[in-house]
Amino acid sequence: MRRTKEESEKTREDLLNAAVRIFSEKGVARSTLDEIAKAAGVTRGAVYWHFENKTQIFEALHERLHRPFVDMILEDLEKDHPEPMVQLRDLCIQIMLDLEKDEQRQQTLILFFMKSDYSGDLAPYKDKHREKKAESMRLFKRYIEKAKKAGKLNTQADPELLTQCISCFMKGILFEYLDNPEGFDIENKAPKLINLFFNTLELEKN
Amino acid sequence: MRRTKEESEKTREDLLNAAVRIFSEKGVARSTLDEIAKAAGVTRGAVYWHFENKTQIFEALHERLHRPFVDMILEDLEKDHPEPMVQLRDLCIQIMLDLEKDEQRQQTLILFFMKSDYSGDLAPYKDKHREKKAESMRLFKRYIEKAKKAGKLNTQADPELLTQCISCFMKGILFEYLDNPEGFDIENKAPKLINLFFNTLELEKN
DNA sequence: GTTTAACCATACATTTATGTATGTATGATG
DNA sequence: CATCATACATACATAAATGTATGGTTAAAC
């Protein structure tokens, strides 16, 4: 039954949404194209029409995760905040709070952090995804460099180390949350944890 | 070819060692019992003799990871250190430095953190492993409670929150390191990062 | 020194997912 | 309105992994 272009595009979206859910639940390897298709209300025929194979679905999902994240930070960096470190802190808190409401994003993060073996057909994407991550790390670093230029940080402070420090901490919170979303009250704890953490960096001023 | 008991036990160990390597490289789902067997220099017959199936190998590996870790902390907690927070900090640093030399442990951590989908046959172990993790979290908490009792921490400091904070940070470092062991100079960075982090908690004294 | 059973290899049956080939109905296009 | 390509569904062929059954050799027990 030939569909209209809008319907076709919807099928594609349905497939991607279904894939996120299935992948994040069972991992990429254990997920079947058949159950993804069924979860989207179609058959494997539709899958092979829209995508080459499972790997291509995987890659399409990563784009859908990373692009908006980078755009959000880039937009935030445009603003001329007087206290870059406070701006960064608030951004970190906001990222966590936003995450709670966006179940799609949660599942996609679970998928790429914890359910991707990056072996076999997926192996080539390991480096590619790592490079994308490095890109967002550089964006974080720009906050710290701005702060240092504005004299808001100790002159001895190492932007590279601070960036890594923040990245580690954020990733840790992410993992603890994603590992058990119901047991981790992120709305309450994330601000507390992040505020507590950023107090360290305030020390660097002196 | 009937082997002696010692030889039999060695094949079992060989199989577990091979499984760590294969699992951590390809993920549990994509790993074949046949390649594990071949990597251990035997056939699938040996695998099915020593283990029920792939799941049982998986579980055996978790025991081998968790037990020594808990024992190490328990032993450390016995010592009567005058500054529990310093003791905890040094423990954290030591954990990271030890990890660099122990490739088996690295691979096992990669396996359980990043390559375990916990679906299908592995699903029942998700809660079990989470409980084991909660156990080690409680051990970390005991350092902080000791510090608070000794008046080394602010009376308002929340041990639960501090424990979570440290756990998040440590996990973050672990992930960043395991994600790219060659690119992350842990011997150099881990002490710096952890020292920087624990300065926050020192603030809690005031 | 037999006998037994542990330890493993080999062979086979079954299952399950993938890829592809083909069928088919319909929206789009002239 | 004829036809053509799109958007799928269906069917099949292939491959790969699992579980099991069976066979063989030799430590170990008596």
Side-chain angles (χ1 to χ4, degrees):
Chain A
M1 303 172 184
R2 168 92 149 92
R3 303 294 162 77
T4 171
K5 281 185 183 176
E6 293 79 35
E7 283 175 323
S8 170
E9 184 56 31
K10 186 185 179 304
T11 320
R12 198 190 123 97
E13 285 301 311
D14 287 347
L15 282 171
L16 285 178
N17 291 334
V20 173
R21 209 157 46 78
I22 307 287
F23 280 169
S24 68
E25 280 173 12
K26 316 184 58 174
V28 179
R30 291 182 116 94
S31 298
T32 301
L33 293 184
D34 186 57
E35 56 183 340
I36 291 177
K38 275 179 181 160
V42 289
T43 69
R44 264 173 55 245
V47 175
Y48 278 103
W49 174 257
H50 286 286
F51 305 95
E52 251 183 77
N53 47 35
K54 196 155 72 171
T55 308
Q56 294 306 314
I57 302 181
F58 179 75
E59 184 55 10
L61 289 179
H62 195 270
E63 258 306 293
R64 225 170 60 153
L65 169 73
H66 193 253
R67 185 74 56 95
F69 182 66
V70 168
D71 289 346
M72 174 191 178
I73 302 181
L74 278 174
E75 192 184 341
D76 189 59
L77 270 168
E78 289 296 317
K79 300 176 194 165
D80 205 24
H81 199 288
E83 293 280 351
M85 293 308 289
V86 173
Q87 188 188 9
L88 178 57
R89 186 199 62 190
D90 292 344
L91 175 71
C92 288
I93 293 176
Q94 199 55 47
I95 287 172
M96 291 297 171
L97 295 183
D98 286 349
L99 185 61
E100 197 197 7
K101 297 163 197 159
D102 193 344
E103 198 161 341
Q104 279 272 335
R105 173 162 283 263
Q106 285 177 36
Q107 288 173 348
T108 313
L109 286 172
I110 289 176
L111 162 57
F112 287 107
F113 283 164
M114 317 197 293
K115 302 297 177 78
S116 296
D117 48 70
Y118 283 113
S119 76
D121 297 336
L122 273 55
Y125 296 99
K126 186 170 187 179
D127 286 340
K128 199 180 291 186
H129 293 179
R130 202 168 15 216
E131 175 48 38
K132 285 191 184 179
K133 182 203 131 196
E135 182 192 345
S136 53
M137 282 271 288
R138 284 191 291 273
L139 294 182
F140 270 75
K141 195 174 172 184
R142 281 172 55 183
Y143 285 94
I144 297 177
E145 287 167 340
K146 267 171 75 173
K148 194 166 184 181
K149 268 191 183 172
K152 304 291 186 181
L153 276 181
N154 189 325
T155 51
Q156 291 178 333
D158 177 9
E160 181 74 19
L161 190 71
L162 284 180
T163 308
Q164 284 228 350
C165 199
I166 294 171
S167 175
C168 285
F169 187 58
M170 287 292 286
K171 203 159 205 171
I173 296 180
L174 265 179
F175 269 101
E176 288 292 335
Y177 172 58
L178 294 174
D179 187 47
N180 188 15
E182 301 82 27
F184 193 99
D185 181 7
I186 198 167
E187 191 172 358
N188 192 10
K189 271 177 188 161
K192 286 185 187 170
L193 287 170
I194 293 173
N195 279 320
L196 181 60
F197 178 75
F198 269 81
N199 285 341
T200 317
L201 310 184
E202 291 296 314
L203 263 189
E204 298 287 314
K205 278 201 225 175
N206 310 334
Chain B
M1 303 171 184
R2 167 88 152 98
R3 303 292 163 77
T4 171
K5 281 185 182 177
E6 293 78 35
E7 283 175 323
S8 169
E9 184 56 29
K10 185 186 180 307
T11 35
R12 198 191 123 96
E13 285 301 311
D14 288 347
L15 282 170
L16 285 178
N17 290 335
V20 172
R21 210 158 45 78
I22 307 286
F23 280 167
S24 68
E25 279 172 14
K26 317 186 54 174
V28 179
R30 291 182 117 96
S31 299
T32 301
L33 293 185
D34 186 56
E35 55 183 341
I36 291 177
K38 275 178 181 159
V42 288
T43 68
R44 266 174 52 246
V47 175
Y48 279 101
W49 174 256
H50 286 286
F51 305 96
E52 248 183 79
N53 46 36
K54 198 156 70 170
T55 308
Q56 294 306 312
I57 302 180
F58 179 75
E59 185 54 11
L61 289 179
H62 195 273
E63 259 305 293
R64 225 169 60 152
L65 169 73
H66 192 254
R67 185 72 58 96
F69 182 65
V70 168
D71 288 346
M72 174 192 178
I73 302 181
L74 277 175
E75 192 184 341
D76 189 59
L77 271 169
E78 289 297 318
K79 300 175 194 165
D80 207 23
H81 200 287
E83 293 279 350
M85 292 308 289
V86 173
Q87 186 188 11
L88 177 56
R89 186 199 61 190
D90 293 343
L91 176 71
C92 288
I93 293 176
Q94 199 54 48
I95 287 172
M96 292 297 171
L97 295 182
D98 286 349
L99 185 61
E100 196 196 9
K101 297 163 198 157
D102 191 344
E103 199 161 340
Q104 278 273 334
R105 173 163 283 262
Q106 285 177 36
Q107 289 175 346
T108 313
L109 285 172
I110 289 177
L111 162 58
F112 288 107
F113 282 165
M114 317 196 295
K115 302 296 177 76
S116 295
D117 49 69
Y118 284 113
S119 75
D121 296 337
L122 272 56
Y125 295 100
K126 187 170 186 178
D127 286 339
K128 199 181 291 187
H129 292 180
R130 216 191 336 242
E131 174 50 37
K132 284 191 184 179
K133 181 201 132 199
E135 181 191 347
S136 52
M137 282 271 287
R138 283 191 291 273
L139 294 182
F140 271 74
K141 196 175 173 184
R142 281 172 55 183
Y143 285 93
I144 298 177
E145 286 167 340
K146 267 171 76 173
K148 195 167 185 182
K149 269 192 184 172
K152 305 290 186 181
L153 277 180
N154 188 327
T155 50
Q156 290 178 332
D158 179 7
E160 180 74 20
L161 190 71
L162 285 180
T163 308
Q164 284 229 348
C165 199
I166 295 171
S167 174
C168 285
F169 186 58
M170 287 291 286
K171 203 159 202 172
I173 296 180
L174 266 178
F175 269 101
E176 289 292 335
Y177 171 57
L178 294 175
D179 187 46
N180 188 14
E182 300 83 28
F184 193 101
D185 180 8
I186 200 165
E187 190 172 358
N188 192 10
K189 272 178 189 162
K192 286 185 186 170
L193 287 170
I194 292 173
N195 279 321
L196 181 60
F197 179 75
F198 269 81
N199 285 341
T200 318
L201 311 184
E202 292 296 315
L203 263 188
E204 298 287 314
K205 277 203 225 175
N206 310 335

